[in-house]
Amino acid sequence: MVAKKRSSMGSLNQQAVDQTNQQLSAKEIEVLTRTSLDWTKLKPKTADTALYDQLIKEVKESTEKNENLAQLRSRLESLGKEGLSLAKEVISLIP
């Protein structure tokens, strides 16, 4: 059997996953779930309010369901590169 060649989409997907792993460490993700955040107060400090609302939804759902950090990471990955950047931005705003 001949080894199947990876498609360019598969390669791009793997690159996105690798970048996510580099962008958001487990410690940073834990900060989102373990820190009591005033999400409303941080919202005006972000540029994309619709994406910010989605980030809040994903973090709150994950917390309510008592999901582990890997599950939250998966939720954040679903927000795409912009969502991951926003998550990092929010983490940097936490005092």
Side-chain angles (χ1 to χ4, degrees):
M1 182 186 231
V2 176
K4 188 174 180 180
K5 196 173 186 177
R6 260 195 144 161
S7 71
S8 61
M9 287 302 286
S11 296
L12 290 175
N13 186 39
Q14 186 58 47
Q15 287 174 347
V17 170
D18 292 343
Q19 188 175 19
T20 300
N21 290 336
Q22 291 172 356
Q23 286 182 345
L24 282 174
S25 70
K27 187 174 184 176
E28 289 174 315
I29 293 173
E30 189 172 8
V31 167
L32 285 175
T33 60
R34 304 289 182 240
T35 304
S36 178
L37 294 176
D38 184 349
W39 290 99
T40 308
K41 186 177 178 181
L42 293 176
K43 187 173 186 173
K45 297 180 181 181
T46 61
D48 188 338
T49 56
L51 186 57
Y52 185 79
D53 290 339
Q54 187 64 29
L55 174 66
I56 293 170
K57 177 183 172 277
E58 295 300 339
V59 172
K60 285 185 176 182
E61 273 188 41
S62 183
T63 303
E64 288 170 5
K65 293 179 178 181
N66 200 25
E67 294 178 339
N68 65 32
L69 297 181
Q71 291 166 312
L72 177 55
R73 179 187 301 266
S74 178
R75 286 177 175 274
L76 297 177
E77 287 174 354
S78 73
L79 298 177
K81 185 177 178 180
E82 294 81 12
L84 295 170
S85 294
L86 181 58
K88 284 190 73 72
E89 180 182 338
V90 167
I91 290 166
S92 74
L93 294 173
I94 298 172

